[in-house]
Each structure stands twice: as structure tokens, then as C-alpha cells.
Amino acid sequence: MQSRKKTRTTASDRCPTRSVTKFEQVRRMVAAEAARIMATEAQSSFRIAKQKAAHRLGAGAETALPSNVEVERALRDYQAFYGGEKHLDHLIGLRCAALRAMRLLEPFHPRLVGPVLDGTADEYARVMLHVFNDPPDAVAVHLLDKGLDFSSEQRRIRWHDGGYRLVPLLVVHSRDTEIELALFACVDLRQAPPSPIDGRPLKRAPMTEVECLLAEAC
């Protein structure tokens, strides 16, 4: 009779190693602390929030940071637990401000993007709109004609080809809310830039969708 060959089973074959479990725990802790930083410290950069969280928790350089998706999930959990009705009321107020601005900017095909759209906006969040025109700087003339004061900024964003692009911004102060207008050419309506969270095309909502969001909240 042919003898059966014995194989040796190690502890690592039977269950995850203790180091792997610790690694996952640290990753979750960093994500949770990064979410808390973003919710309470006016920090909108996922990268900076993760770095601060890792430093505060004493996570070593060898520890892989959580993804932006993991931090956003932790942020939603944090806001759901601590924010409650106050967070919802604040979000509705920002979406109302967005809708007013979009109606004012209707000739430029405004689209709502960012935390006010996805529901993670905190008390420091701007209303972020994409507007489209050829040439894009005609938006500034429109604002001046309406008697609105604004400042100019720029933001470096990832583009479709994997590179980066500097996008001009106009920032309007409306009551207690800042309205950020990112200026694009009309051709950019065809395809949204990649999301900084998951790399997929950024979600952009027209006025009709914002109106639906507000109607659902009433």
C-alpha cells in the first residue's frame, strides 16, 4: 500500500498572523482619526488628514495608510453618530445655498460637486460648483454685472489623462456660505474629472437633481 505523504500545517496556514491583525486594526484606527480630523478641524485634504492621524496615533512609517474610500466611509459613520439632525439641517442649508447660486448661474450649466452633494459637508465646507463657458472667464463678468464680490484662486486636480491641470476658481461669499466656482470650458461637460476619493468620474449634479435632494429631505 502506498503511504500517504504527510504535510505539515503551520500556524500561519491555519489563521491570520497576529501582525496582520494588528496592521488592519491600525489602519482602521488611522481612518477613524482622519475622519474625526476632517469633521472637526476644517481639514478637506484626505492626504493631510491621514498623515496627521498617523502621526497622532504613533503609527510607524511602515504602516500603510488607509485609502480615501476608507476614510470617507469612516467620515460618514462619524457624522451619522455625532452629527444627527444638526448635520442634516446644516446640509440642507448648504444645498439651498447651492440651488440659489445655480439659478443665478443657469447660463453656465452649473453642476454641484463635492461634500455638499455627497452629504459629508461639515460646518467649514464650501458649496462647490462646476460652471462651463467659452471663454470660462465670462463667468467673472456675469458676477460683476450682478454686483457680487469674489476672489480668485486655483486648484490643481487630476485629469483624464492621468496628469494634472490647474483649474481657476472664483469664490463668492454669500451670507455665511462660501460658493466656489470652478471654471471649465463647455467641452468639459462631456466628461467629469476623476474623483479624488476613488478615481472614478466625479459625480456632478444639475439643478434638477439638487431640487430632488431637497424635496426628499422635506
Side-chain angles (χ1 to χ4, degrees):
M1 178 183 294
Q2 186 177 0
S3 61
R4 298 177 64 182
K5 187 176 180 179
K6 294 182 178 180
T7 58
R8 180 174 295 176
T9 302
T10 65
S12 61
D13 295 326
R14 291 193 298 268
C15 63
T17 64
R18 191 171 296 177
S19 62
V20 171
T21 302
K22 183 178 179 180
F23 171 83
E24 292 172 347
Q25 289 176 342
V26 171
R27 189 181 179 99
R28 287 195 292 268
M29 289 170 62
V30 172
E33 177 62 12
R36 190 195 66 78
I37 289 170
M38 295 186 76
T40 62
E41 299 182 17
Q43 180 54 253
S44 59
S45 168
F46 282 87
R47 178 180 59 83
I48 294 175
K50 288 187 289 187
Q51 290 173 344
K52 283 186 175 182
H55 176 73
R56 291 179 184 178
L57 294 172
E62 71 280 359
T63 302
L65 296 178
S67 67
N68 290 352
V69 172
E70 291 172 285
V71 175
E72 187 197 37
R73 188 182 304 123
L75 178 59
R76 290 182 184 278
D77 290 343
Y78 183 95
Q79 290 173 330
F81 187 80
Y82 292 102
E85 289 297 320
K86 182 179 179 181
H87 172 70
L88 181 58
D89 290 344
H90 177 65
L91 184 62
I92 291 172
L94 290 175
R95 286 174 173 171
C96 286
L99 187 57
R100 289 192 297 268
M102 294 174 84
R103 287 170 175 163
L104 180 70
L105 296 161
E106 189 170 4
F108 305 106
H109 317 287
R111 299 291 188 270
L112 178 63
V113 301
V116 176
L117 175 59
D118 65 33
T120 60
D122 57 30
E123 61 182 303
Y124 308 102
R126 286 176 171 178
V127 171
M128 301 169 67
L129 300 177
H130 287 186
V131 291
F132 306 85
N133 196 71
D134 296 321
D137 56 10
V139 179
V141 177
H142 182 76
L143 294 178
L144 290 172
D145 288 343
K146 297 294 182 180
L148 297 173
D149 293 327
F150 57 88
S151 58
S152 299
E153 298 178 9
Q154 285 185 325
R155 176 169 297 131
R156 184 172 176 261
I157 66 172
R158 186 175 291 278
W159 206 240
H160 314 300
D161 58 5
Y164 289 86
R165 176 172 167 180
L166 275 177
V167 176
L169 308 175
L170 302 179
V171 182
V172 182
H173 295 274
S174 174
R175 299 180 185 176
D176 297 327
T177 305
E178 286 189 338
I179 312 291
E180 176 187 293
L181 312 178
L183 308 183
F184 293 92
C186 288
V187 68
D188 296 322
L189 261 172
R190 299 176 183 174
Q191 185 178 6
S195 165
I197 298 174
D198 59 12
R200 298 176 180 176
L202 185 67
K203 185 177 179 182
R204 302 192 293 198
M207 279 193 293
T208 51
E209 187 172 338
V210 178
E211 288 169 344
C212 288
L213 288 172
L214 287 170
E216 291 170 359
C218 294

